[in-house]
Amino acid sequence: MKRIVIAGGSGFLGRALTAHFLERGYAITILTRSPKMPANGAREIAWDAHTVGDWARELEGAKAIINLVGRSVNCRYHERNRRLIMESRVRSTRAIGEAISVCKTPPPVWLNASTATIYRHTFGPAWDESGEIGWMPEARDEFSIEVATAWERTLNEMPTSGTRKIAMRAAMVLGTGENSVFPVMLRLTRFGLGGAMGNGKQFVSWVHEMDFCRAVEWLIAHDELSGTVNIASPNPITNAEMMRTFRDVCDMPIGLPATKWMLEIGAFFLRTEPELIIKSRRVISRRLPESGFTFRFPFLRQALEDLLARRRLNE
Ligand SMILES: NC(=O)c1ccc[n+]([C@@H]2O[C@H](COP(=O)([O-])OP(=O)(O)OC[C@H]3O[C@@H](n4cnc5c(N)ncnc54)[C@H](OP(=O)(O)O)[C@@H]3O)[C@@H](O)[C@H]2O)c1
């Protein structure tokens, strides 16, 4: 049976991918620091996310290894969180690279999470995979870019000659899972707080979870693809448009806007960073469509309507 190993597969994207690949007849092995007995038929194997151990045997003969490990970036960037955010990504990537390099039958492909946040803040044309790496002008520091570049550098440096490597620069993935941004935005909108954030002109790049999973499946199947691939819908929109679309699909006529200073204060109490909301992320993929991939949800309205309908089914 075809088998896929997912490191950090216990989180939001891991669960979405696990369900996607189980439905298609794959066996799934999840590497996690707290293994349980999942009801869905996946296997969970213990690892510490930074040293090569018995778990490395799971890579032998696997069809693919997908690494999604990363301490959430949705927190205040104080010293301890910065260390966890950076180390969880770099060390897990290094451990997987070392494990692959000693495999007798290594997985033919290694997909490692990265982020569309790596691209420079822009109101100009959308960045594709050749876009500029960089920051937003009024940012306090360059921490998220440092993390993203260190993460990708580690992936690129690992000597895994028999294994194709892909850095998945994913945009914000919208899904029904609780760790996704979608349920949070839905709650804000339903409380009448779904107005523009900041001046609302910043771009938001996004992708529906189904398209994220389909893109991962596509990247595994297409041997000619390696290196950096953006996973983002072809239609990023401004924050004001995104919030208007949320209000429309929720039939909510009012949405109080949040000015930049309100976001600063709100972010402090929500223990997150305002940069996550204010940076203009205008990112699309050139490589996926060029290789023949089509998005099932190219427009936000369709994506939100679908997610809302699926959420209602589960309520
Ligand atoms: N969700 C998005 O919209 C999005 C967009 C772009 C990029 N990404 C990236 O894609 C990856 C997966 O995202 P996600 O939303 O699925 O994240 P998630 O729900 O937070 O899951 C991440 C997983 O990483 C492991 N982890 C967390 N902190 C860790 C630490 N300190 N040390 C070692 N392992 C740790 C956890 O596994 P265990 O606790 O089971 O060990 C957790 O299940 C992340 O790296 C994220 O930055 C996500």
mmCIF file of all heavy atoms in Angstrom, residues 7-15 30-36 47-49 67-73 84-85 87-89 92 113-116 151 168-174 179-181 212, ligand 1:
data_model
loop_
_atom_site.group_PDB
_atom_site.id
_atom_site.type_symbol
_atom_site.label_atom_id
_atom_site.label_comp_id
_atom_site.label_asym_id
_atom_site.label_seq_id
_atom_site.Cartn_x
_atom_site.Cartn_y
_atom_site.Cartn_z
ATOM 1 N N ALA A 7 5.153 14.632 9.186
ATOM 2 C CA ALA A 7 5.696 15.149 10.446
ATOM 3 C C ALA A 7 4.889 16.393 10.826
ATOM 4 O O ALA A 7 4.625 17.235 9.973
ATOM 5 C CB ALA A 7 7.167 15.510 10.255
ATOM 6 N N GLY A 8 4.487 16.475 12.091
ATOM 7 C CA GLY A 8 3.610 17.592 12.501
ATOM 8 C C GLY A 8 2.211 17.406 11.929
ATOM 9 O O GLY A 8 1.464 18.373 11.756
ATOM 10 N N GLY A 9 1.858 16.150 11.682
ATOM 11 C CA GLY A 9 0.559 15.855 11.045
ATOM 12 C C GLY A 9 -0.626 15.937 11.985
ATOM 13 O O GLY A 9 -1.761 15.715 11.566
ATOM 14 N N SER A 10 -0.374 16.271 13.262
ATOM 15 C CA SER A 10 -1.487 16.341 14.226
ATOM 16 C C SER A 10 -2.203 17.691 14.182
ATOM 17 O O SER A 10 -3.240 17.856 14.815
ATOM 18 C CB SER A 10 -0.945 16.125 15.644
ATOM 19 O OG SER A 10 0.008 17.145 15.924
ATOM 20 N N GLY A 11 -1.655 18.661 13.459
ATOM 21 C CA GLY A 11 -2.238 20.004 13.451
ATOM 22 C C GLY A 11 -3.290 20.186 12.368
ATOM 23 O O GLY A 11 -3.781 19.208 11.784
ATOM 24 N N PHE A 12 -3.627 21.443 12.112
ATOM 25 C CA PHE A 12 -4.693 21.774 11.161
ATOM 26 C C PHE A 12 -4.430 21.219 9.755
ATOM 27 O O PHE A 12 -5.256 20.474 9.189
ATOM 28 C CB PHE A 12 -4.866 23.303 11.143
ATOM 29 C CG PHE A 12 -5.562 23.848 9.943
ATOM 30 C CD1 PHE A 12 -6.797 23.351 9.536
ATOM 31 C CD2 PHE A 12 -4.992 24.883 9.202
ATOM 32 C CE1 PHE A 12 -7.443 23.862 8.411
ATOM 33 C CE2 PHE A 12 -5.634 25.397 8.087
ATOM 34 C CZ PHE A 12 -6.858 24.885 7.684
ATOM 35 N N LEU A 13 -3.271 21.554 9.181
ATOM 36 C CA LEU A 13 -3.010 21.103 7.806
ATOM 37 C C LEU A 13 -2.768 19.594 7.763
ATOM 38 O O LEU A 13 -3.179 18.928 6.808
ATOM 39 C CB LEU A 13 -1.792 21.838 7.221
ATOM 40 C CG LEU A 13 -1.975 23.345 7.014
ATOM 41 C CD1 LEU A 13 -0.740 23.946 6.363
ATOM 42 C CD2 LEU A 13 -3.215 23.624 6.169
ATOM 43 N N GLY A 14 -2.140 19.065 8.794
ATOM 44 C CA GLY A 14 -1.890 17.628 8.848
ATOM 45 C C GLY A 14 -3.195 16.844 8.855
ATOM 46 O O GLY A 14 -3.318 15.820 8.175
ATOM 47 N N ARG A 15 -4.156 17.319 9.620
ATOM 48 C CA ARG A 15 -5.445 16.608 9.658
ATOM 49 C C ARG A 15 -6.147 16.669 8.309
ATOM 50 O O ARG A 15 -6.740 15.687 7.860
ATOM 51 C CB ARG A 15 -6.353 17.224 10.723
ATOM 52 C CG ARG A 15 -5.954 16.771 12.083
ATOM 53 C CD ARG A 15 -6.898 17.291 13.112
ATOM 54 N NE ARG A 15 -6.165 17.379 14.362
ATOM 55 C CZ ARG A 15 -6.626 17.892 15.460
ATOM 56 N NH1 ARG A 15 -7.835 18.386 15.499
ATOM 57 N NH2 ARG A 15 -5.904 17.928 16.540
ATOM 58 N N ILE A 30 1.930 9.485 11.096
ATOM 59 C CA ILE A 30 2.129 10.846 11.614
ATOM 60 C C ILE A 30 3.261 10.830 12.635
ATOM 61 O O ILE A 30 3.270 9.973 13.529
ATOM 62 C CB ILE A 30 0.812 11.355 12.248
ATOM 63 C CG1 ILE A 30 -0.201 11.611 11.134
ATOM 64 C CG2 ILE A 30 1.046 12.610 13.088
ATOM 65 C CD1 ILE A 30 -1.593 11.881 11.622
ATOM 66 N N LEU A 31 4.210 11.742 12.484
ATOM 67 C CA LEU A 31 5.261 11.893 13.500
ATOM 68 C C LEU A 31 4.819 13.009 14.435
ATOM 69 O O LEU A 31 4.553 14.127 13.996
ATOM 70 C CB LEU A 31 6.595 12.253 12.846
ATOM 71 C CG LEU A 31 7.136 11.275 11.786
ATOM 72 C CD1 LEU A 31 8.475 11.765 11.240
ATOM 73 C CD2 LEU A 31 7.268 9.871 12.356
ATOM 74 N N THR A 32 4.726 12.685 15.730
ATOM 75 C CA THR A 32 4.210 13.657 16.698
ATOM 76 C C THR A 32 4.935 13.489 18.030
ATOM 77 O O THR A 32 5.394 12.383 18.356
ATOM 78 C CB THR A 32 2.683 13.462 16.899
ATOM 79 O OG1 THR A 32 2.269 14.167 18.074
ATOM 80 C CG2 THR A 32 2.288 11.999 17.061
ATOM 81 N N ARG A 33 4.974 14.583 18.807
ATOM 82 C CA ARG A 33 5.587 14.487 20.140
ATOM 83 C C ARG A 33 4.648 13.824 21.137
ATOM 84 O O ARG A 33 5.057 13.427 22.202
ATOM 85 C CB ARG A 33 5.972 15.894 20.631
ATOM 86 C CG ARG A 33 7.084 16.539 19.822
ATOM 87 C CD ARG A 33 7.168 18.014 20.095
ATOM 88 N NE ARG A 33 5.899 18.667 19.813
ATOM 89 C CZ ARG A 33 5.531 19.855 20.258
ATOM 90 N NH1 ARG A 33 6.345 20.538 21.022
ATOM 91 N NH2 ARG A 33 4.352 20.367 19.946
ATOM 92 N N SER A 34 3.350 13.727 20.818
ATOM 93 C CA SER A 34 2.373 13.116 21.754
ATOM 94 C C SER A 34 1.491 12.133 20.997
ATOM 95 O O SER A 34 0.349 12.477 20.646
ATOM 96 C CB SER A 34 1.480 14.190 22.364
ATOM 97 O OG SER A 34 2.133 15.400 22.492
ATOM 98 N N PRO A 35 2.010 10.930 20.722
ATOM 99 C CA PRO A 35 1.211 9.990 19.914
ATOM 100 C C PRO A 35 -0.047 9.520 20.635
ATOM 101 O O PRO A 35 -0.034 9.341 21.856
ATOM 102 C CB PRO A 35 2.164 8.821 19.678
ATOM 103 C CG PRO A 35 3.309 9.004 20.586
ATOM 104 C CD PRO A 35 3.313 10.387 21.105
ATOM 105 N N LYS A 36 -1.103 9.360 19.859
ATOM 106 C CA LYS A 36 -2.374 8.845 20.384
ATOM 107 C C LYS A 36 -2.810 7.716 19.447
ATOM 108 O O LYS A 36 -2.064 7.338 18.553
ATOM 109 C CB LYS A 36 -3.427 9.961 20.395
ATOM 110 C CG LYS A 36 -3.116 11.090 21.364
ATOM 111 C CD LYS A 36 -4.124 12.179 21.309
ATOM 112 C CE LYS A 36 -3.768 13.416 20.515
ATOM 113 N NZ LYS A 36 -2.446 13.923 20.406
ATOM 114 N N TRP A 47 8.240 11.068 18.121
ATOM 115 C CA TRP A 47 9.576 11.605 17.830
ATOM 116 C C TRP A 47 9.744 12.870 18.664
ATOM 117 O O TRP A 47 8.768 13.343 19.268
ATOM 118 C CB TRP A 47 9.744 11.862 16.337
ATOM 119 C CG TRP A 47 9.075 13.105 15.799
ATOM 120 C CD1 TRP A 47 7.922 13.704 16.240
ATOM 121 C CD2 TRP A 47 9.552 13.910 14.716
ATOM 122 N NE1 TRP A 47 7.627 14.801 15.485
ATOM 123 C CE2 TRP A 47 8.614 14.958 14.541
ATOM 124 C CE3 TRP A 47 10.649 13.850 13.869
ATOM 125 C CZ2 TRP A 47 8.772 15.935 13.557
ATOM 126 C CZ3 TRP A 47 10.795 14.817 12.896
ATOM 127 C CH2 TRP A 47 9.862 15.844 12.737
ATOM 128 N N ASP A 48 10.985 13.380 18.700
ATOM 129 C CA ASP A 48 11.173 14.612 19.488
ATOM 130 C C ASP A 48 11.268 15.837 18.579
ATOM 131 O O ASP A 48 11.464 16.946 19.038
ATOM 132 C CB ASP A 48 12.419 14.497 20.383
ATOM 133 C CG ASP A 48 13.704 14.336 19.569
ATOM 134 O OD1 ASP A 48 13.643 14.400 18.322
ATOM 135 O OD2 ASP A 48 14.780 14.148 20.175
ATOM 136 N N ALA A 49 11.142 15.633 17.297
ATOM 137 C CA ALA A 49 11.152 16.706 16.288
ATOM 138 C C ALA A 49 12.510 17.373 16.123
ATOM 139 O O ALA A 49 12.616 18.416 15.493
ATOM 140 C CB ALA A 49 10.074 17.759 16.568
ATOM 141 N N ASN A 67 6.685 17.603 5.774
ATOM 142 C CA ASN A 67 7.001 18.168 7.094
ATOM 143 C C ASN A 67 6.196 19.449 7.335
ATOM 144 O O ASN A 67 6.386 20.442 6.642
ATOM 145 C CB ASN A 67 8.503 18.472 7.197
ATOM 146 C CG ASN A 67 8.855 19.085 8.547
ATOM 147 O OD1 ASN A 67 8.093 18.957 9.519
ATOM 148 N ND2 ASN A 67 9.987 19.758 8.608
ATOM 149 N N LEU A 68 5.320 19.389 8.349
ATOM 150 C CA LEU A 68 4.470 20.542 8.676
ATOM 151 C C LEU A 68 4.788 21.090 10.067
ATOM 152 O O LEU A 68 4.021 21.877 10.616
ATOM 153 C CB LEU A 68 2.999 20.110 8.646
ATOM 154 C CG LEU A 68 2.479 19.555 7.324
ATOM 155 C CD1 LEU A 68 1.073 18.993 7.512
ATOM 156 C CD2 LEU A 68 2.472 20.642 6.254
ATOM 157 N N VAL A 69 5.912 20.655 10.626
ATOM 158 C CA VAL A 69 6.204 21.042 12.014
ATOM 159 C C VAL A 69 6.461 22.538 12.127
ATOM 160 O O VAL A 69 7.148 23.129 11.303
ATOM 161 C CB VAL A 69 7.443 20.271 12.531
ATOM 162 C CG1 VAL A 69 7.925 20.840 13.866
ATOM 163 C CG2 VAL A 69 7.103 18.806 12.671
ATOM 164 N N GLY A 70 5.920 23.123 13.165
ATOM 165 C CA GLY A 70 6.223 24.520 13.443
ATOM 166 C C GLY A 70 5.383 25.023 14.588
ATOM 167 O O GLY A 70 4.157 24.901 14.548
ATOM 168 N N ARG A 71 6.051 25.587 15.610
ATOM 169 C CA ARG A 71 5.305 26.233 16.686
ATOM 170 C C ARG A 71 4.498 27.356 16.035
ATOM 171 O O ARG A 71 5.007 28.093 15.176
ATOM 172 C CB ARG A 71 6.320 26.784 17.711
ATOM 173 C CG ARG A 71 5.678 27.155 19.030
ATOM 174 C CD ARG A 71 5.618 28.670 19.190
ATOM 175 N NE ARG A 71 5.069 29.002 20.499
ATOM 176 C CZ ARG A 71 3.797 29.374 20.685
ATOM 177 N NH1 ARG A 71 2.939 29.438 19.684
ATOM 178 N NH2 ARG A 71 3.373 29.677 21.895
ATOM 179 N N SER A 72 3.230 27.482 16.413
ATOM 180 C CA SER A 72 2.364 28.475 15.774
ATOM 181 C C SER A 72 2.995 29.877 15.824
ATOM 182 O O SER A 72 3.584 30.258 16.839
ATOM 183 C CB SER A 72 1.010 28.487 16.492
ATOM 184 O OG SER A 72 0.252 29.567 16.008
ATOM 185 N N VAL A 73 2.840 30.636 14.738
ATOM 186 C CA VAL A 73 3.350 32.020 14.710
ATOM 187 C C VAL A 73 2.322 32.985 15.273
ATOM 188 O O VAL A 73 2.571 34.184 15.390
ATOM 189 C CB VAL A 73 3.744 32.457 13.273
ATOM 190 C CG1 VAL A 73 4.931 31.666 12.776
ATOM 191 C CG2 VAL A 73 2.566 32.328 12.308
ATOM 192 N N LEU A 84 11.249 29.137 19.966
ATOM 193 C CA LEU A 84 10.453 27.947 19.623
ATOM 194 C C LEU A 84 10.018 27.979 18.160
ATOM 195 O O LEU A 84 10.033 26.956 17.471
ATOM 196 C CB LEU A 84 9.214 27.863 20.531
ATOM 197 C CG LEU A 84 9.496 27.504 21.996
ATOM 198 C CD1 LEU A 84 8.216 27.606 22.821
ATOM 199 C CD2 LEU A 84 10.079 26.097 22.090
ATOM 200 N N ILE A 85 9.619 29.158 17.691
ATOM 201 C CA ILE A 85 9.166 29.286 16.292
ATOM 202 C C ILE A 85 10.308 28.908 15.341
ATOM 203 O O ILE A 85 10.129 28.128 14.406
ATOM 204 C CB ILE A 85 8.670 30.733 16.017
ATOM 205 C CG1 ILE A 85 7.326 30.965 16.723
ATOM 206 C CG2 ILE A 85 8.554 31.005 14.525
ATOM 207 C CD1 ILE A 85 6.863 32.416 16.722
ATOM 208 N N GLU A 87 13.358 27.310 16.117
ATOM 209 C CA GLU A 87 13.982 25.993 16.315
ATOM 210 C C GLU A 87 13.079 24.847 15.864
ATOM 211 O O GLU A 87 13.548 23.863 15.309
ATOM 212 C CB GLU A 87 14.359 25.800 17.786
ATOM 213 C CG GLU A 87 15.569 26.605 18.179
ATOM 214 C CD GLU A 87 16.004 26.341 19.616
ATOM 215 O OE1 GLU A 87 15.368 25.534 20.325
ATOM 216 O OE2 GLU A 87 16.991 26.980 20.013
ATOM 217 N N SER A 88 11.781 24.969 16.140
ATOM 218 C CA SER A 88 10.889 23.851 15.773
ATOM 219 C C SER A 88 10.958 23.615 14.264
ATOM 220 O O SER A 88 10.949 22.464 13.809
ATOM 221 C CB SER A 88 9.453 24.137 16.215
ATOM 222 O OG SER A 88 8.980 25.345 15.654
ATOM 223 N N ARG A 89 11.070 24.679 13.488
ATOM 224 C CA ARG A 89 11.104 24.529 12.030
ATOM 225 C C ARG A 89 12.464 24.043 11.530
ATOM 226 O O ARG A 89 12.555 23.095 10.749
ATOM 227 C CB ARG A 89 10.726 25.865 11.373
ATOM 228 C CG ARG A 89 9.247 26.165 11.538
ATOM 229 C CD ARG A 89 8.850 27.557 11.124
ATOM 230 N NE ARG A 89 7.396 27.689 11.118
ATOM 231 C CZ ARG A 89 6.640 27.834 12.210
ATOM 232 N NH1 ARG A 89 7.208 27.902 13.402
ATOM 233 N NH2 ARG A 89 5.320 27.922 12.123
ATOM 234 N N SER A 92 13.512 20.392 13.019
ATOM 235 C CA SER A 92 12.738 19.265 12.466
ATOM 236 C C SER A 92 13.145 19.023 11.011
ATOM 237 O O SER A 92 13.273 17.879 10.559
ATOM 238 C CB SER A 92 11.229 19.532 12.560
ATOM 239 O OG SER A 92 10.875 20.675 11.805
ATOM 240 N N ALA A 113 7.003 22.412 4.678
ATOM 241 C CA ALA A 113 6.225 23.650 4.763
ATOM 242 C C ALA A 113 7.158 24.853 4.711
ATOM 243 O O ALA A 113 8.286 24.806 5.203
ATOM 244 C CB ALA A 113 5.413 23.674 6.058
ATOM 245 N N SER A 114 6.692 25.906 4.075
ATOM 246 C CA SER A 114 7.308 27.232 4.155
ATOM 247 C C SER A 114 6.128 28.197 4.127
ATOM 248 O O SER A 114 4.993 27.771 4.421
ATOM 249 C CB SER A 114 8.279 27.465 2.998
ATOM 250 O OG SER A 114 8.826 28.768 3.097
ATOM 251 N N THR A 115 6.358 29.432 3.799
ATOM 252 C CA THR A 115 5.253 30.386 3.896
ATOM 253 C C THR A 115 5.304 31.458 2.811
ATOM 254 O O THR A 115 6.388 31.927 2.454
ATOM 255 C CB THR A 115 5.256 31.054 5.290
ATOM 256 O OG1 THR A 115 4.305 32.108 5.292
ATOM 257 C CG2 THR A 115 6.617 31.622 5.656
ATOM 258 N N ALA A 116 4.124 31.864 2.358
ATOM 259 C CA ALA A 116 4.029 32.960 1.381
ATOM 260 C C ALA A 116 4.385 34.300 2.027
ATOM 261 O O ALA A 116 4.611 35.286 1.319
ATOM 262 C CB ALA A 116 2.619 33.013 0.802
ATOM 263 N N TRP A 151 14.466 28.373 7.444
ATOM 264 C CA TRP A 151 13.698 27.134 7.235
ATOM 265 C C TRP A 151 14.022 26.564 5.842
ATOM 266 O O TRP A 151 14.375 25.401 5.682
ATOM 267 C CB TRP A 151 12.241 27.551 7.290
ATOM 268 C CG TRP A 151 11.192 26.572 7.638
ATOM 269 C CD1 TRP A 151 11.318 25.264 7.973
ATOM 270 C CD2 TRP A 151 9.787 26.895 7.692
ATOM 271 N NE1 TRP A 151 10.071 24.756 8.232
ATOM 272 C CE2 TRP A 151 9.132 25.720 8.071
ATOM 273 C CE3 TRP A 151 9.031 28.047 7.450
ATOM 274 C CZ2 TRP A 151 7.739 25.666 8.210
ATOM 275 C CZ3 TRP A 151 7.666 27.999 7.597
ATOM 276 C CH2 TRP A 151 7.021 26.823 7.975
ATOM 277 N N MET A 168 7.096 24.403 0.212
ATOM 278 C CA MET A 168 5.718 24.833 -0.096
ATOM 279 C C MET A 168 5.476 26.190 0.549
ATOM 280 O O MET A 168 5.274 26.281 1.756
ATOM 281 C CB MET A 168 4.706 23.827 0.462
ATOM 282 C CG MET A 168 4.877 22.410 -0.049
ATOM 283 S SD MET A 168 3.580 21.337 0.608
ATOM 284 C CE MET A 168 4.079 21.150 2.313
ATOM 285 N N ARG A 169 5.502 27.242 -0.269
ATOM 286 C CA ARG A 169 5.233 28.588 0.260
ATOM 287 C C ARG A 169 3.716 28.796 0.257
ATOM 288 O O ARG A 169 3.146 29.336 -0.701
ATOM 289 C CB ARG A 169 5.933 29.646 -0.584
ATOM 290 C CG ARG A 169 7.438 29.607 -0.400
ATOM 291 C CD ARG A 169 8.127 30.713 -1.175
ATOM 292 N NE ARG A 169 9.572 30.661 -0.944
ATOM 293 C CZ ARG A 169 10.468 31.305 -1.678
ATOM 294 N NH1 ARG A 169 10.076 32.059 -2.697
ATOM 295 N NH2 ARG A 169 11.767 31.212 -1.398
ATOM 296 N N ALA A 170 3.083 28.328 1.333
ATOM 297 C CA ALA A 170 1.617 28.361 1.384
ATOM 298 C C ALA A 170 1.120 29.714 1.889
ATOM 299 O O ALA A 170 1.688 30.298 2.810
ATOM 300 C CB ALA A 170 1.104 27.247 2.286
ATOM 301 N N ALA A 171 0.048 30.161 1.260
ATOM 302 C CA ALA A 171 -0.679 31.336 1.760
ATOM 303 C C ALA A 171 -1.584 30.872 2.906
ATOM 304 O O ALA A 171 -1.599 29.684 3.245
ATOM 305 C CB ALA A 171 -1.518 31.914 0.622
ATOM 306 N N MET A 172 -2.332 31.807 3.481
ATOM 307 C CA MET A 172 -3.262 31.458 4.568
ATOM 308 C C MET A 172 -4.251 30.399 4.067
ATOM 309 O O MET A 172 -4.956 30.620 3.078
ATOM 310 C CB MET A 172 -4.011 32.731 4.968
ATOM 311 C CG MET A 172 -5.130 32.515 5.945
ATOM 312 S SD MET A 172 -5.828 34.103 6.432
ATOM 313 C CE MET A 172 -6.810 34.537 5.004
ATOM 314 N N VAL A 173 -4.272 29.254 4.740
ATOM 315 C CA VAL A 173 -5.160 28.172 4.307
ATOM 316 C C VAL A 173 -6.485 28.306 5.063
ATOM 317 O O VAL A 173 -6.502 28.386 6.294
ATOM 318 C CB VAL A 173 -4.522 26.785 4.574
ATOM 319 C CG1 VAL A 173 -5.424 25.681 4.037
ATOM 320 C CG2 VAL A 173 -3.130 26.694 3.931
ATOM 321 N N LEU A 174 -7.576 28.358 4.296
ATOM 322 C CA LEU A 174 -8.899 28.482 4.918
ATOM 323 C C LEU A 174 -9.544 27.111 4.973
ATOM 324 O O LEU A 174 -9.698 26.447 3.948
ATOM 325 C CB LEU A 174 -9.776 29.446 4.102
ATOM 326 C CG LEU A 174 -9.271 30.877 4.030
ATOM 327 C CD1 LEU A 174 -10.100 31.687 3.042
ATOM 328 C CD2 LEU A 174 -9.304 31.536 5.404
ATOM 329 N N ASN A 179 -8.030 25.127 14.155
ATOM 330 C CA ASN A 179 -6.804 25.952 14.121
ATOM 331 C C ASN A 179 -6.765 26.883 12.921
ATOM 332 O O ASN A 179 -5.844 27.671 12.792
ATOM 333 C CB ASN A 179 -5.556 25.067 14.040
ATOM 334 C CG ASN A 179 -5.242 24.418 15.346
ATOM 335 O OD1 ASN A 179 -6.040 24.509 16.271
ATOM 336 N ND2 ASN A 179 -4.106 23.758 15.425
ATOM 337 N N SER A 180 -7.767 26.776 12.023
ATOM 338 C CA SER A 180 -7.747 27.618 10.823
ATOM 339 C C SER A 180 -8.248 29.024 11.163
ATOM 340 O O SER A 180 -8.944 29.237 12.148
ATOM 341 C CB SER A 180 -8.647 26.985 9.766
ATOM 342 O OG SER A 180 -9.016 27.927 8.800
ATOM 343 N N VAL A 181 -7.889 29.964 10.314
ATOM 344 C CA VAL A 181 -8.327 31.350 10.496
ATOM 345 C C VAL A 181 -9.834 31.466 10.228
ATOM 346 O O VAL A 181 -10.504 32.339 10.785
ATOM 347 C CB VAL A 181 -7.557 32.248 9.492
ATOM 348 C CG1 VAL A 181 -8.039 33.675 9.519
ATOM 349 C CG2 VAL A 181 -6.080 32.180 9.775
ATOM 350 N N PHE A 212 -5.383 23.230 -1.182
ATOM 351 C CA PHE A 212 -4.068 22.978 -0.580
ATOM 352 C C PHE A 212 -3.750 21.476 -0.681
ATOM 353 O O PHE A 212 -2.674 21.080 -1.124
ATOM 354 C CB PHE A 212 -4.045 23.445 0.881
ATOM 355 C CG PHE A 212 -2.769 23.085 1.590
ATOM 356 C CD1 PHE A 212 -1.626 23.862 1.425
ATOM 357 C CD2 PHE A 212 -2.697 21.948 2.393
ATOM 358 C CE1 PHE A 212 -0.430 23.501 2.046
ATOM 359 C CE2 PHE A 212 -1.508 21.585 3.017
ATOM 360 C CZ PHE A 212 -0.382 22.363 2.847
HETATM 361 N N1 LIG B 1 -2.219 27.058 8.419
HETATM 362 C C1 LIG B 1 -1.822 27.915 7.498
HETATM 363 O O1 LIG B 1 -2.624 28.718 6.972
HETATM 364 C C2 LIG B 1 -0.375 27.931 7.072
HETATM 365 C C3 LIG B 1 0.016 28.756 5.991
HETATM 366 C C4 LIG B 1 1.358 28.771 5.599
HETATM 367 C C5 LIG B 1 2.291 27.988 6.256
HETATM 368 N N2 LIG B 1 1.884 27.200 7.298
HETATM 369 C C6 LIG B 1 2.899 26.362 7.974
HETATM 370 O O2 LIG B 1 2.520 25.009 7.814
HETATM 371 C C7 LIG B 1 2.841 24.271 8.992
HETATM 372 C C8 LIG B 1 1.582 23.556 9.488
HETATM 373 O O3 LIG B 1 0.568 24.524 9.769
HETATM 374 P P1 LIG B 1 -0.675 24.145 10.702
HETATM 375 O O4 LIG B 1 -1.642 25.259 10.568
HETATM 376 O O5 LIG B 1 -1.091 22.753 10.456
HETATM 377 O O6 LIG B 1 0.019 24.238 12.145
HETATM 378 P P2 LIG B 1 -0.459 23.590 13.539
HETATM 379 O O7 LIG B 1 -1.899 23.251 13.510
HETATM 380 O O8 LIG B 1 0.014 24.523 14.614
HETATM 381 O O9 LIG B 1 0.401 22.220 13.608
HETATM 382 C C9 LIG B 1 1.808 22.241 13.641
HETATM 383 C C10 LIG B 1 2.346 20.981 14.265
HETATM 384 O O10 LIG B 1 3.724 21.208 14.614
HETATM 385 C C11 LIG B 1 4.058 20.539 15.816
HETATM 386 N N3 LIG B 1 4.695 21.496 16.750
HETATM 387 C C12 LIG B 1 4.160 22.621 17.272
HETATM 388 N N4 LIG B 1 5.037 23.241 18.081
HETATM 389 C C13 LIG B 1 6.164 22.482 18.065
HETATM 390 C C14 LIG B 1 7.430 22.587 18.712
HETATM 391 N N5 LIG B 1 7.733 23.596 19.538
HETATM 392 N N6 LIG B 1 8.347 21.620 18.478
HETATM 393 C C15 LIG B 1 8.063 20.586 17.648
HETATM 394 N N7 LIG B 1 6.870 20.418 17.021
HETATM 395 C C16 LIG B 1 5.945 21.367 17.220
HETATM 396 C C17 LIG B 1 2.768 20.034 16.446
HETATM 397 O O11 LIG B 1 2.792 18.611 16.411
HETATM 398 P P3 LIG B 1 2.847 17.714 17.777
HETATM 399 O O12 LIG B 1 2.399 18.586 18.907
HETATM 400 O O13 LIG B 1 1.887 16.613 17.489
HETATM 401 O O14 LIG B 1 4.255 17.243 17.920
HETATM 402 C C18 LIG B 1 1.657 20.589 15.564
HETATM 403 O O15 LIG B 1 0.631 19.673 15.331
HETATM 404 C C19 LIG B 1 3.419 25.268 9.997
HETATM 405 O O16 LIG B 1 4.813 25.181 9.968
HETATM 406 C C20 LIG B 1 2.939 26.619 9.474
HETATM 407 O O17 LIG B 1 3.833 27.671 9.792
HETATM 408 C C21 LIG B 1 0.585 27.151 7.713
#
